């Protein structure tokens, strides 16, 4: 009887543990982050927030920290030295970004697990800028991916779940968004190592005139910036569970493809200087989605924030980002089973 009682006790205990096992995981993602820049330091002075930017993420920390995994796109470099500034076709625009390395602590405090650097601004200060950015993020405990043959993929383990993440872009040192075979390769590589596979991409034309997803290869300032639908679908076909996009500096539509969710652009997120944040360019959403353990979309929410010059994202009581994404989704992907309510809640029809 005692042996039988022990067996029953163990069975009950095992059942209790399995019953309490985490059935879903939460993934949070944001768009472009450029916390401030020290360039050009001899023309208009530095453009950096007060107190080293320590309050930039105050309004969004609780959400980012609550997710099992949180990632974003770092637009620019983390660099203290001069580096080798890339040539600019129009020096008056100064679209070159150099953020002090100490600012990485703001990303850590905000709750980020991952930063993607596959974008056109990671090359703003050449090899010194790229190297400093990768080392600074890694030394701070933030995973990084996006540079071809340097850091193409990353694995982040949280609560026993391995998140595999890659980022592709159109810059010269990036894993290329224009090479679908490369996209499939990095995803398949991660599929062998991770429980949840995430692809982030930096692609598409820029600005309010490019809010819609064209379902074709996009070009901007002479650069080939990918067919983002083809990229997202190829990634999911290869094993990705979530696809998050950024690059157009405005939000775009969402889509469900093979039970996996795609956000075609989350726009700007924390870009208080030197990047246009007027009108829809200032919409700064956080997308948080719940996935089952197979990576299928269960539910989610678009949390709407809005930017102010010289400050980080602030809560938007009008939910403008969520409403814009809902409108664009209905227009660009009318047959998707995603339903996005005015407060940003995402469910299946």
């Amino acid at each position: 009887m005692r042996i039988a009682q022990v067996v029953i006790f163990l069975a009950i205990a095992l059942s209790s543990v399995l019953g309490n096992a985490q059935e879903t995981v939460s993934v949070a993602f944001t768009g472009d982050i450029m916390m401030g820049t020290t360039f050009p330091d001899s023309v208009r002075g530095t453009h950096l927030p007060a107190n080293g930017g320590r309050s930039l993420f105050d309004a969004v920390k609780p959400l980012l920290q609550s997710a099992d995994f949180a990632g974003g796109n770092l637009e620019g470099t983390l660099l203290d030295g001069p580096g080798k500034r890339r040539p600019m076709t129009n020096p008056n625009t100064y679209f070159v970004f150099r953020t002090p390395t100490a600012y990485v602590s703001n990303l850590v405090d905000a709750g980020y697990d991952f930063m993607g650097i596959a974008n056109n601004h990671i090359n703003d200060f050449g090899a010194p800028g790229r190297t400093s950015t990768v080392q600074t993020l890694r030394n701070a405990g933030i995973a990084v991916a996006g540079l071809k043959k340097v850091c193409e993929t990353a694995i982040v383990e949280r609560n026993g779940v391995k998140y595999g993440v890659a980022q592709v872009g159109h810059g010269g040192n990036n894993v290329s968004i224009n090479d679908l075979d490369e996209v499939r390769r990095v995803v398949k590589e991660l599929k062998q190592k991770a429980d949840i596979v995430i692809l982030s991409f930096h692609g598409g034309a820029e600005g309010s005139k490019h809010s819609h997803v064209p379902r074709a290869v996009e070009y901007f300032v002479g650069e080939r910036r990918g067919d983002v639908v083809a990229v997202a679908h190829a990634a999911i076909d290869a094993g990705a569970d979530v696809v998050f996009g950024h690059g157009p500096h405005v939000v775009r539509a969402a889509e469900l493809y093979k039970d996996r969710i795609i956000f075609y652009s989350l726009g700007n997120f924390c870009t208080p200087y030197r990047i246009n944040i007027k009108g829809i360019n200032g919409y700064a959403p956080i997308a948080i989605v719940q996935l089952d353990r197979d990576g299928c979309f269960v539910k989610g929410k678009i949390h709407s924030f809005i930017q102010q010059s010289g400050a980080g994202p602030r809560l938007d009581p009008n939910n403008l980002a969520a409403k814009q994404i809902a409108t664009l989704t209905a227009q660009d992907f009318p047959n998707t089973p995603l339903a996005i309510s005015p407060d940003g809640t995402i469910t299946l029809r």
Side-chain angles (χ1 to χ4, degrees), residues 63-113:
L63 288 171
L64 293 173
Q65 293 174 354
S66 71
D68 295 311
F69 172 93
N73 173 64
L74 185 65
E75 190 86 336
T77 61
L78 294 171
L79 177 67
D80 295 322
K84 182 180 179 181
R85 179 177 57 76
R86 66 176 173 85
M88 293 180 292
T89 55
N90 183 359
N92 294 321
T93 60
Y94 295 113
F95 291 141
V96 173
F97 306 130
R98 181 179 61 199
T99 302
T101 58
Y103 278 53
V104 73
S105 64
N106 300 327
L107 301 176
V108 175
D109 292 343
Y112 281 105
D113 300 292

Side-chain angles (χ1 to χ4, degrees), residues 46-318:
T46 61
H47 283 236
L48 297 173
N51 300 316
R54 286 185 287 275
S55 63
L56 285 175
F57 297 99
D58 281 355
V60 299
K61 283 181 183 180
L63 288 171
L64 293 173
Q65 293 174 354
S66 71
D68 295 311
F69 172 93
N73 173 64
L74 185 65
E75 190 86 336
T77 61
L78 294 171
L79 177 67
D80 295 322
K84 182 180 179 181
R85 179 177 57 76
R86 66 176 173 85
M88 293 180 292
T89 55
N90 183 359
N92 294 321
T93 60
Y94 295 113
F95 291 141
V96 173
F97 306 130
R98 181 179 61 199
T99 302
T101 58
Y103 278 53
V104 73
S105 64
N106 300 327
L107 301 176
V108 175
D109 292 343
Y112 281 105
D113 300 292
F114 167 81
M115 280 288 124
I117 57 173
N119 58 64
N120 44 317
H121 285 285
I122 189 60
N123 295 314
D124 282 356
F125 288 89
R130 296 192 300 272
T131 300
S132 175
T133 302
V134 172
Q135 291 180 345
T136 300
L137 290 168
R138 285 177 170 169
N139 290 343
I142 296 177
V144 56
L147 291 185
K148 191 171 180 62
K149 298 182 180 180
V150 176
C151 52
E152 297 185 348
T153 63
I155 301 288
V156 175
E157 186 168 353
R158 296 287 183 268
N159 301 318
V161 179
K162 291 183 179 179
Y163 299 87
V165 60
Q167 183 166 307
V168 300
H170 53 81
N173 295 89
N174 303 160
V175 178
S176 179
I177 194 174
N178 295 304
D179 188 336
L180 295 185
D181 287 337
E182 281 289 276
V183 174
R184 296 185 188 100
R185 178 184 63 80
V186 296
V187 170
K188 288 178 180 179
E189 177 182 324
L190 285 171
K191 194 68 175 177
Q192 302 301 313
K193 304 174 183 178
D195 302 305
I196 300 294
V197 176
I198 302 163
L199 181 81
S200 171
F201 70 77
H202 197 74
E206 297 182 13
S208 58
K209 295 181 180 179
H210 301 285
S211 293
H212 289 283
V213 179
R215 295 175 179 265
V217 174
E218 296 182 66
Y219 294 85
F220 190 73
V221 294
E223 296 176 332
R224 182 184 173 99
R225 296 196 171 187
D227 179 336
V228 295
V229 174
V231 168
H233 288 191
I236 291 173
D237 289 341
D241 299 304
V242 188
V243 178
F244 289 98
H246 35 79
H249 296 293
V250 291
V251 299
R252 284 183 167 186
E255 182 192 16
L256 195 73
Y257 175 72
K258 294 185 176 179
D259 297 322
R260 270 66 180 175
I261 194 163
I262 304 163
F263 291 94
Y264 281 102
S265 176
L266 292 175
N268 297 318
F269 185 64
C270 184
T271 54
Y273 300 100
R274 301 288 175 87
I275 292 178
N276 178 18
I277 55 172
K278 295 179 180 179
I280 63 174
N281 295 75
Y283 296 177
I286 300 176
I288 302 182
V289 296
Q290 301 286 332
L291 311 175
D292 67 22
R293 293 303 291 267
D294 292 325
C296 295
F297 173 78
V298 177
K299 62 181 179 179
K301 187 167 184 178
I302 301 163
H303 299 267
S304 295
F305 293 83
I306 200 158
Q307 291 202 68
Q308 301 171 2
S309 179
R314 297 293 182 262
L315 185 65
D316 176 19
N318 296 313

